[in-house]
Amino acid sequence: MATGTLNIGVIGAGRIGKVHAESIATRVAGARLGGVADINLAAAQSLASQFSAPRVSGDYRDLLADKSIDAVAICSATDTHSRIICEAAAAGKHIFCEKPIDFDLGRITQALEAVDKAGVKLQLGFNRRFDAGFAKARELVASGKVGAVHVVRITSRDPASPPLEYVRVSGGMFLDMTIHDFDMVRFLSGSEAEEIYTMGAILVDPEIGRAGDVDTCVVTMRLANGALATIDNSRKAVYGYDQRVEVFGSAGMVAVSNRTPDTHVHFAANGVHSATPLYFFLERYADAYVAEMQEFVRCVQAGATPPVTGRDGLVPVIMGLAATRSLKEGRPVRLDEIR
Amino acid sequence: MATGTLNIGVIGAGRIGKVHAESIATRVAGARLGGVADINLAAAQSLASQFSAPRVSGDYRDLLADKSIDAVAICSATDTHSRIICEAAAAGKHIFCEKPIDFDLGRITQALEAVDKAGVKLQLGFNRRFDAGFAKARELVASGKVGAVHVVRITSRDPASPPLEYVRVSGGMFLDMTIHDFDMVRFLSGSEAEEIYTMGAILVDPEIGRAGDVDTCVVTMRLANGALATIDNSRKAVYGYDQRVEVFGSAGMVAVSNRTPDTHVHFAANGVHSATPLYFFLERYADAYVAEMQEFVRCVQAGATPPVTGRDGLVPVIMGLAATRSLKEGRPVRLDEIR
Amino acid sequence: MATGTLNIGVIGAGRIGKVHAESIATRVAGARLGGVADINLAAAQSLASQFSAPRVSGDYRDLLADKSIDAVAICSATDTHSRIICEAAAAGKHIFCEKPIDFDLGRITQALEAVDKAGVKLQLGFNRRFDAGFAKARELVASGKVGAVHVVRITSRDPASPPLEYVRVSGGMFLDMTIHDFDMVRFLSGSEAEEIYTMGAILVDPEIGRAGDVDTCVVTMRLANGALATIDNSRKAVYGYDQRVEVFGSAGMVAVSNRTPDTHVHFAANGVHSATPLYFFLERYADAYVAEMQEFVRCVQAGATPPVTGRDGLVPVIMGLAATRSLKEGRPVRLDEIR
Amino acid sequence: MATGTLNIGVIGAGRIGKVHAESIATRVAGARLGGVADINLAAAQSLASQFSAPRVSGDYRDLLADKSIDAVAICSATDTHSRIICEAAAAGKHIFCEKPIDFDLGRITQALEAVDKAGVKLQLGFNRRFDAGFAKARELVASGKVGAVHVVRITSRDPASPPLEYVRVSGGMFLDMTIHDFDMVRFLSGSEAEEIYTMGAILVDPEIGRAGDVDTCVVTMRLANGALATIDNSRKAVYGYDQRVEVFGSAGMVAVSNRTPDTHVHFAANGVHSATPLYFFLERYADAYVAEMQEFVRCVQAGATPPVTGRDGLVPVIMGLAATRSLKEGRPVRLDEIR
């Protein structure tokens, strides 16, 4: 291993753990896959073997105890994130953590304090910021090409509902799905939400309603810089993963549309036909997952603050809680009500 | 004049009166421009002369008294609409009336009753329904191609703020500008709004705020069929008139984007460049203005009910009043509160 | 009639005569429809009546003899063009003439000499130059935005084959259909063809082959400025009228694509669907027909040289003859071989 | 190493050798990077080290002699391809070979005979066939969705001229650059060229002309199935790598456009701006390089014939020689003249 290579242990060998393990092992410059841990030891072993990770365990503490491991990527179940952050920070590991840190603001705060105290780097997994299109939109906004921001519009629709057992523990649509869009509003606008109003509906699957959640929503918010934002979500778009953003301002607008698997256009007598959007997040954000991990590695190696901070992990949860309360109480909710 | 040709008098020789006079005189099959009236007689004379209208007057009552005139197109100031409708109906003229009928629900009701009593045809000037793109969207929705409607999204932005003196008498953004989008929500979804929530902001011009209005807004609503709708408006988009709609449902989505003056694409080292949208409503909806008048003529001649009824003129005003109240009171407002 | 209004007689009341009569009567500023002539008197009467033309005749010479008529639009059969040009010039009428002037270079030259001698204005009906997209492409080329021209690419496909009786008298594909594209090459590049090579095929309809023509072709040419150009034509594209151009140069490229009746996009599970191109030339070039006539009127009134000159009518015929010879002899043909 | 994994040695550690080594080591299922050879030993060592290849040498014969190596990817200089194919075949290695096999038809034939005799698999590196868009176009053609093929149109432009020393040994534009497009014509049409006509020009760089080559060309050809094809090439498009194909037929058309790094669109007062195409072949065809190697591995493991055969390596060279002769002699050249 070359001097300076960051040795990263992946905690959690599920879907997203596999993505990060592969990135670290084969795509990210300056990184090495140091180990894989999962309470399902067989899953950990399979993933470790695929990418020749030297260490594998059924207990993530083994990775934290391993002096050769510099950093961990926390890809385990959400309810373990805040605890593992605290322990990893205490062990002096730099931390990449999937969103959300927790649904409980107290536990999030505790985790962020542990990180601060340990002086390790923490980056949250808001992968969409690293999508080439969204990053370009942010760049244009930041450089003044759209002027003062007036309206942010986001559409985010999944191609299929998650399993009901997932819905039940997901924290609800706003904390599970809209949370990414809340992050996008902050990222794109460079401002913070002050007030949120939510309309929700159960249109995709009545079982989601029986599980206490909604499957369709429109969220509106007012930002500190005066701009307005609107997000619409659906758990099911039959044409695939629909991920679009738009920032409108005094000097113009930037809009980012979906990516497709190919650019063919078929002209026939009955119409003009082209490809549906890339199916889901693994396809749409494949490059973004690599880019965010690359940036994490770069920041740790450079001693720089990662671009998605602990606070970036906290605020969208507050927004999600405000949106949830707005839905329940049928009124706009100010973020400072959420404490 | 061929038997069956509808002889139409145009009342009001301003911007939109000119549009309709030209359509009637040169574009609409089965119609003839029978006269022009405007309190500004010179304006009426100029327009009448341009399209060889046989009668011209400074008083619309002259057109109503003219037996040869079968129908009138009311293009005068908004505060004269309800009165002229009543008088035209009493005179047995079929009526095409620009939106809105009035800002006062009582006067609208009175006008609609006069129309009903006289048994004349009335069509409201919601021209966007006749835009080829929006009409196609409605057709796809109506034919089930997007399935059950889940979310309607509309963006509607003007290229430049109107004069402040206009803003002051316009009835406010929701009754002047959003009213078209309210109509679109009804048209596209085939359903009615039940509850409306509005966020507004003054971002384009502080003078608009001093005039008691907003210049930027996001309106969210819940429809009777369970669907949600969101509209965002701005008084000023520097890149031109931005008019887009989207209907998302259980079986897909239809989106309608802007039209451009041409389809050139310029590939240069510094980027790929193309044309901005058609500048404003006269350009974007040029064909729609002809089509709506053609349909009015067709319906009168066939004895059919015009596709944009008196009720279609009433409901968007109620929606605008609900949106206005929501903005003032900072809460969602049910339409049945507006009476 | 206002002083200065150009009184235009339309000769030929067929498809294209109707287009120009309507433009002159209702769309073109500063023009008036002074009369209609057609050897089919009923057709002339019908058209004259529709647009209230004061004079109608079965003989175009009546229009030429009418002192009140300032100009004629020659829309009759191709084999009458050169003769009517000569007579109209002798009568002192300004002339708008549909392409081509003739298939015989001698008769074209004679007609152009008659025009020169009479000192009247002549504009050829190469309507595509007035298409907003193609005009924009030319503007970008002329202003240097694509740099030195390297390659011109044109695709031009009709939605359906013409009747066989038309094919037989059309002069062949290169003089009937490609002639428009030859004009586009000259217009877009600002240069002249020196050498042309043609490949042709009979793929659409064997009857076209039996009539001695081809229905599919690729024409390649070398221009005086060193650039290359390629045109591909087909008599039948099932998805509609396909009219695209592209100019590639040292500083970039401009491409112009088709126009569609609307801009809807339908996202469904089985693909993304949108509208086919506008069906045929009357739809695609509706605005261009008005614009070319407006420009003719403007030039006559201003005493300016029309933008599509007699020479612009001559050269594409030479190109068509060269292309025809190339097809027959299976070799590249230089334009200076055609005399 | 798992049973059945294909152990591949990469011969040539230059630009394309690096691409294939990385694919084999990290992207291609069922493959392993068994070694790297390059006459520049340091380059071989560097590449082998990066992807942990167990064997490295300055002589490709060491890879051929290694019993553990099942297959080789020939990525060395073109003039070594045919020789290495012969030797690799004799050594019983399956062969993936970059295009072209050779510029000499005799040496190509010899190499293909060696492959046949040895009974090893051979796949040529026509990577574009594996581009998702082009593959989709082929799929639509093969399934009859465009009907009988009438016209194939290909535009292929590099973003920058290669170094002059490269131009001098490249075999000329037709054998170096157009050869890919010749392959595309065959792939997309499912037919063979019978006759080729070429126009070439020196418009990008006069030095290319002094080196005896052209830098801009339009190639036209007639195919055995009666269809026509046209290719236009340029050595330099300032807006990036321009790679588009179009197949037009009796039932429609399929067109494939460029890919961009992102899908943002920036609407400003001065126009609408978006991203230029992906810069060059390494970006545009990144996925295609992986896909072609995956298919090679799959075919070898399944005992199947690779989809790009030795004959697919031979025919485009014949086409390139015909195009070259056509350019020199200024006439269409039949492929059966090239022997």
Side-chain angles (χ1 to χ4, degrees):
Chain A
M1 186 178 66
T3 307
T5 296
L6 195 72
N7 200 24
I8 307 177
V10 168
I11 298 172
R15 194 162 52 174
I16 197 66
K18 285 176 185 162
V19 168
H20 290 311
E22 178 172 357
S23 292
I24 293 164
T26 71
R27 283 277 168 273
V28 173
R32 200 174 81 96
L33 181 63
V36 177
D38 195 297
I39 49 172
N40 177 338
L41 180 59
Q45 283 168 332
S46 166
L47 184 56
S49 157
Q50 186 180 357
F51 295 107
S52 309
R55 174 178 280 273
V56 60
S57 172
D59 185 343
Y60 68 86
R61 291 179 187 88
D62 289 340
L63 298 186
L64 301 186
D66 185 334
K67 298 293 182 207
S68 78
I69 287 180
D70 304 307
V72 290
I74 304 176
C75 309
S76 49
T78 294
D79 61 1
T80 68
H81 288 182
S82 59
R83 176 167 40 98
I84 300 180
I85 288 176
C86 292
E87 294 180 35
K93 308 303 187 195
H94 299 293
I95 301 163
F96 178 96
C97 183
E98 276 302 315
K99 65 90 207 167
I101 298 178
D102 204 292
F103 299 140
D104 180 277
L105 297 181
R107 279 200 295 273
I108 297 175
T109 305
Q110 202 176 356
L112 299 189
E113 284 169 357
V115 167
D116 276 355
K117 192 177 155 197
V120 296
K121 304 297 184 190
L122 169 66
Q123 181 173 323
L124 262 290
F126 280 117
N127 55 298
R128 295 186 195 174
R129 293 188 180 206
F130 297 86
D131 175 79
F134 298 158
K136 182 72 184 178
R138 171 59 195 158
E139 178 195 321
L140 288 168
V141 172
S143 69
K145 291 289 176 63
V146 306
V149 175
H150 288 185
V151 179
V152 178
R153 276 179 71 192
I154 298 180
T155 288
S156 174
R157 298 169 186 152
D158 284 352
S161 303
L164 279 173
E165 48 273 38
Y166 177 85
V167 170
R168 287 192 190 98
V169 302
S170 68
M173 195 180 206
F174 305 113
L175 286 164
D176 176 52
M177 188 170 165
T178 322
I179 194 168
H180 274 293
D181 307 306
F182 289 139
D183 180 62
M184 269 291 112
V185 168
R186 299 178 68 236
F187 174 65
L188 291 170
S189 70
S191 186
E192 295 289 355
E194 293 196 330
E195 191 178 36
I196 292 184
Y197 178 75
T198 308
M199 277 192 189
I202 301 153
L203 299 167
V204 171
D205 182 357
E207 286 296 328
I208 292 176
R210 282 190 271 276
D213 204 357
V214 292
D215 53 37
T216 304
C217 71
V218 175
V219 180
T220 312
M221 68 195 79
R222 185 186 307 281
L223 308 185
N225 65 2
L228 306 177
T230 176
I231 298 165
D232 71 280
N233 289 151
S234 170
R235 284 289 192 186
K236 184 172 179 185
V238 297
Y239 53 87
Y241 196 42
D242 191 351
Q243 299 275 300
R244 291 171 285 150
V245 308
E246 182 176 316
V247 184
F248 169 75
S250 59
M253 172 175 72
V254 56
V256 181
S257 58
N258 291 303
R259 299 219 66 137
T260 51
D262 65 70
T263 61
H264 89 277
V265 184
H266 176 215
F267 293 73
N270 72 341
V272 175
H273 314 294
S274 55
T276 50
L278 286 169
Y279 182 67
F280 210 173
F281 63 96
L282 293 181
E283 292 85 11
R284 165 67 185 262
Y285 294 121
D287 291 343
Y289 285 118
V290 177
E292 68 174 354
M293 192 57 70
Q294 183 66 70
E295 183 62 8
F296 172 66
V297 169
R298 196 195 65 74
C299 287
V300 170
Q301 289 173 334
T305 301
V308 196
T309 65
R311 182 178 155 70
D312 293 327
L314 172 64
V315 177
V317 175
I318 297 174
M319 296 169 80
L321 294 171
T324 304
R325 186 178 297 180
S326 173
L327 183 71
K328 290 211 172 102
E329 302 184 3
R331 64 174 183 91
V333 171
R334 292 189 54 85
L335 263 71
D336 54 22
E337 297 182 44
I338 307 297
R339 284 296 165 247
Chain B
M1 185 180 63
T3 307
T5 295
L6 196 71
N7 200 24
I8 307 178
V10 169
I11 298 173
R15 194 162 53 177
I16 197 67
K18 286 175 182 160
V19 168
H20 290 311
E22 178 172 355
S23 293
I24 293 164
T26 71
R27 282 279 166 275
V28 172
R32 199 175 81 95
L33 181 64
V36 177
D38 195 298
I39 49 173
N40 178 338
L41 179 60
Q45 284 170 331
S46 167
L47 183 56
S49 157
Q50 187 180 355
F51 295 107
S52 309
R55 174 177 281 274
V56 61
S57 173
D59 186 342
Y60 68 88
R61 289 179 189 88
D62 289 341
L63 299 186
L64 301 186
D66 185 333
K67 299 291 184 210
S68 78
I69 288 181
D70 306 306
V72 291
I74 305 175
C75 308
S76 50
T78 294
D79 61 2
T80 68
H81 289 183
S82 59
R83 176 166 39 98
I84 301 180
I85 288 176
C86 292
E87 296 181 33
K93 308 300 186 197
H94 300 292
I95 303 164
F96 178 94
C97 183
E98 275 303 314
K99 64 90 210 169
I101 298 177
D102 203 291
F103 299 141
D104 181 276
L105 298 182
R107 280 200 293 274
I108 297 174
T109 305
Q110 203 176 358
L112 300 189
E113 285 169 357
V115 167
D116 277 354
K117 193 177 153 196
V120 298
K121 304 295 183 191
L122 169 67
Q123 181 173 321
L124 263 291
F126 281 117
N127 56 297
R128 295 186 195 173
R129 294 189 179 204
F130 297 87
D131 175 80
F134 300 158
K136 181 72 183 179
R138 172 58 195 157
E139 176 194 322
L140 287 168
V141 172
S143 69
K145 289 290 176 64
V146 307
V149 175
H150 288 186
V151 179
V152 178
R153 278 179 69 191
I154 297 180
T155 287
S156 174
R157 297 167 186 154
D158 284 352
S161 302
L164 278 173
E165 48 273 38
Y166 177 85
V167 170
R168 286 192 191 97
V169 301
S170 68
M173 194 179 208
F174 304 113
L175 285 164
D176 177 51
M177 187 170 166
T178 322
I179 194 169
H180 276 292
D181 307 306
F182 289 139
D183 180 61
M184 269 291 114
V185 168
R186 297 179 69 238
F187 174 64
L188 292 170
S189 70
S191 186
E192 296 288 355
E194 294 196 330
E195 189 179 36
I196 293 185
Y197 177 77
T198 309
M199 278 192 188
I202 302 153
L203 299 168
V204 171
D205 183 356
E207 287 296 329
I208 291 175
R210 282 191 273 277
D213 204 356
V214 292
D215 54 34
T216 304
C217 70
V218 174
V219 180
T220 312
M221 69 195 77
R222 185 187 306 281
L223 308 186
N225 65 2
L228 307 178
T230 176
I231 297 165
D232 71 281
N233 288 153
S234 169
R235 283 289 193 185
K236 185 174 180 185
V238 297
Y239 52 87
Y241 196 42
D242 192 351
Q243 299 275 298
R244 292 171 282 152
V245 309
E246 182 177 315
V247 184
F248 169 74
S250 58
M253 172 175 71
V254 58
V256 180
S257 58
N258 291 301
R259 298 219 65 134
T260 52
D262 65 68
T263 61
H264 90 276
V265 183
H266 177 215
F267 293 75
N270 73 341
V272 175
H273 314 295
S274 56
T276 51
L278 287 168
Y279 181 67
F280 211 172
F281 61 97
L282 292 181
E283 292 86 9
R284 166 65 186 262
Y285 295 120
D287 292 341
Y289 285 120
V290 177
E292 68 175 353
M293 191 56 72
Q294 183 66 71
E295 183 62 8
F296 172 65
V297 169
R298 195 194 65 74
C299 287
V300 170
Q301 291 175 332
T305 302
V308 196
T309 64
R311 183 179 154 71
D312 293 327
L314 171 66
V315 177
V317 175
I318 297 175
M319 295 169 81
L321 294 171
T324 305
R325 185 178 296 178
S326 173
L327 183 72
K328 289 212 172 101
E329 302 185 2
R331 65 173 180 91
V333 171
R334 292 186 56 84
L335 262 71
D336 53 22
E337 298 182 45
I338 308 296
R339 283 295 165 245
Chain C
M1 187 179 66
T3 308
T5 295
L6 195 72
N7 200 23
I8 308 177
V10 169
I11 298 172
R15 194 163 52 174
I16 197 67
K18 286 175 183 163
V19 167
H20 290 311
E22 178 173 355
S23 293
I24 292 164
T26 72
R27 282 276 167 277
V28 172
R32 200 173 81 95
L33 181 63
V36 178
D38 196 297
I39 48 172
N40 178 342
L41 179 60
Q45 283 169 331
S46 167
L47 184 56
S49 158
Q50 186 179 358
F51 296 107
S52 308
R55 176 177 280 275
V56 60
S57 172
D59 186 343
Y60 67 89
R61 291 180 187 86
D62 289 339
L63 298 186
L64 301 185
D66 185 335
K67 297 290 183 212
S68 77
I69 287 181
D70 306 306
V72 290
I74 304 176
C75 309
S76 50
T78 294
D79 62 1
T80 68
H81 289 183
S82 59
R83 173 165 43 96
I84 301 181
I85 287 176
C86 292
E87 294 180 34
K93 309 299 185 196
H94 301 293
I95 301 162
F96 177 95
C97 183
E98 277 302 315
K99 65 91 207 165
I101 299 176
D102 204 293
F103 300 140
D104 180 276
L105 297 182
R107 280 199 295 273
I108 297 174
T109 305
Q110 201 176 357
L112 299 188
E113 284 169 358
V115 168
D116 277 354
K117 191 177 156 200
V120 297
K121 305 295 183 192
L122 169 66
Q123 180 173 321
L124 263 290
F126 281 118
N127 56 296
R128 295 187 194 174
R129 293 188 179 207
F130 297 87
D131 175 80
F134 299 157
K136 181 72 184 179
R138 171 58 195 157
E139 177 196 320
L140 287 168
V141 172
S143 69
K145 291 289 176 63
V146 308
V149 175
H150 289 186
V151 179
V152 178
R153 278 179 70 191
I154 297 180
T155 288
S156 176
R157 298 168 187 153
D158 284 352
S161 303
L164 279 173
E165 48 275 37
Y166 177 85
V167 169
R168 288 193 189 95
V169 301
S170 67
M173 193 179 207
F174 304 113
L175 285 165
D176 176 53
M177 186 170 168
T178 321
I179 194 170
H180 274 294
D181 307 306
F182 289 140
D183 180 62
M184 269 290 112
V185 168
R186 298 178 68 237
F187 174 65
L188 292 171
S189 70
S191 186
E192 296 288 357
E194 293 196 330
E195 190 178 38
I196 292 184
Y197 177 75
T198 307
M199 278 194 187
I202 301 153
L203 299 168
V204 171
D205 182 358
E207 286 297 327
I208 292 176
R210 280 190 274 276
D213 204 356
V214 292
D215 54 35
T216 304
C217 71
V218 175
V219 180
T220 311
M221 67 195 78
R222 186 186 306 280
L223 308 185
N225 65 2
L228 306 178
T230 176
I231 297 165
D232 71 282
N233 288 152
S234 169
R235 283 289 191 185
K236 183 172 182 187
V238 295
Y239 53 87
Y241 196 42
D242 191 351
Q243 298 277 299
R244 290 172 285 150
V245 309
E246 182 177 314
V247 185
F248 168 75
S250 58
M253 171 175 72
V254 56
V256 181
S257 57
N258 291 303
R259 298 217 66 134
T260 51
D262 65 70
T263 61
H264 90 277
V265 183
H266 177 214
F267 293 74
N270 73 340
V272 175
H273 314 293
S274 54
T276 49
L278 287 168
Y279 182 68
F280 211 172
F281 63 96
L282 292 181
E283 292 86 9
R284 166 65 185 263
Y285 294 121
D287 292 341
Y289 285 119
V290 177
E292 69 175 351
M293 191 56 70
Q294 183 66 71
E295 183 62 9
F296 172 66
V297 169
R298 196 194 65 76
C299 287
V300 170
Q301 290 175 333
T305 302
V308 196
T309 65
R311 182 178 155 72
D312 294 328
L314 172 65
V315 177
V317 175
I318 298 175
M319 296 168 81
L321 294 171
T324 305
R325 186 179 297 179
S326 173
L327 182 73
K328 290 213 173 99
E329 301 185 2
R331 64 172 182 93
V333 171
R334 291 187 56 84
L335 261 71
D336 53 22
E337 297 181 45
I338 307 298
R339 284 295 164 247
Chain D
M1 186 180 65
T3 308
T5 296
L6 196 72
N7 200 24
I8 307 177
V10 168
I11 298 172
R15 194 163 51 173
I16 197 67
K18 285 175 182 161
V19 168
H20 290 311
E22 178 172 355
S23 293
I24 293 164
T26 72
R27 281 278 167 276
V28 172
R32 199 173 81 97
L33 182 63
V36 177
D38 195 296
I39 50 173
N40 177 339
L41 181 59
Q45 284 169 332
S46 167
L47 184 56
S49 157
Q50 187 179 356
F51 295 106
S52 309
R55 173 177 283 271
V56 61
S57 171
D59 186 343
Y60 68 88
R61 290 178 189 87
D62 289 339
L63 298 186
L64 300 186
D66 185 335
K67 298 289 183 214
S68 78
I69 288 179
D70 306 305
V72 290
I74 304 177
C75 308
S76 50
T78 294
D79 62 2
T80 68
H81 289 182
S82 59
R83 174 166 41 98
I84 300 181
I85 287 175
C86 292
E87 295 180 36
K93 308 299 187 196
H94 300 293
I95 302 164
F96 178 96
C97 184
E98 276 303 315
K99 64 92 214 169
I101 298 177
D102 204 292
F103 299 140
D104 181 274
L105 297 181
R107 280 200 293 275
I108 296 174
T109 305
Q110 201 175 359
L112 299 189
E113 286 170 356
V115 167
D116 276 354
K117 192 178 154 198
V120 297
K121 304 295 182 192
L122 169 67
Q123 182 174 321
L124 263 290
F126 281 117
N127 55 297
R128 294 185 195 175
R129 294 188 178 205
F130 298 87
D131 175 79
F134 300 158
K136 182 73 184 177
R138 172 58 196 156
E139 176 194 321
L140 287 168
V141 172
S143 69
K145 290 290 175 65
V146 307
V149 175
H150 290 185
V151 179
V152 178
R153 278 180 69 191
I154 297 180
T155 289
S156 173
R157 298 168 186 154
D158 284 352
S161 301
L164 279 172
E165 48 274 35
Y166 177 85
V167 170
R168 286 190 192 98
V169 302
S170 68
M173 194 181 208
F174 304 113
L175 285 164
D176 176 52
M177 187 170 167
T178 321
I179 193 170
H180 275 292
D181 307 306
F182 289 139
D183 180 60
M184 269 291 113
V185 169
R186 299 179 68 237
F187 175 63
L188 291 171
S189 69
S191 185
E192 297 288 355
E194 292 196 332
E195 189 178 37
I196 292 184
Y197 177 76
T198 308
M199 279 194 185
I202 301 154
L203 299 168
V204 171
D205 182 357
E207 286 296 329
I208 291 175
R210 282 190 273 277
D213 203 357
V214 292
D215 54 36
T216 304
C217 70
V218 174
V219 180
T220 311
M221 68 194 78
R222 185 187 307 279
L223 308 186
N225 64 2
L228 306 177
T230 175
I231 297 165
D232 72 281
N233 289 151
S234 170
R235 284 289 193 185
K236 184 173 180 186
V238 297
Y239 53 87
Y241 196 42
D242 192 352
Q243 299 277 300
R244 290 171 286 151
V245 309
E246 182 176 314
V247 184
F248 168 75
S250 58
M253 171 175 72
V254 57
V256 181
S257 58
N258 290 302
R259 297 219 67 135
T260 51
D262 64 69
T263 61
H264 90 278
V265 183
H266 176 214
F267 292 75
N270 72 340
V272 175
H273 314 294
S274 55
T276 50
L278 287 169
Y279 182 66
F280 211 172
F281 62 96
L282 292 181
E283 292 86 9
R284 166 68 186 262
Y285 295 120
D287 292 342
Y289 285 120
V290 177
E292 69 175 352
M293 191 57 70
Q294 183 67 69
E295 183 62 8
F296 172 65
V297 169
R298 195 194 65 74
C299 287
V300 170
Q301 290 175 332
T305 302
V308 197
T309 65
R311 181 176 157 72
D312 293 327
L314 170 65
V315 177
V317 175
I318 296 174
M319 295 168 80
L321 294 171
T324 305
R325 187 179 295 179
S326 172
L327 182 73
K328 290 212 173 99
E329 303 184 4
R331 64 172 182 93
V333 171
R334 292 188 54 84
L335 261 73
D336 54 22
E337 297 181 45
I338 307 298
R339 285 295 166 244

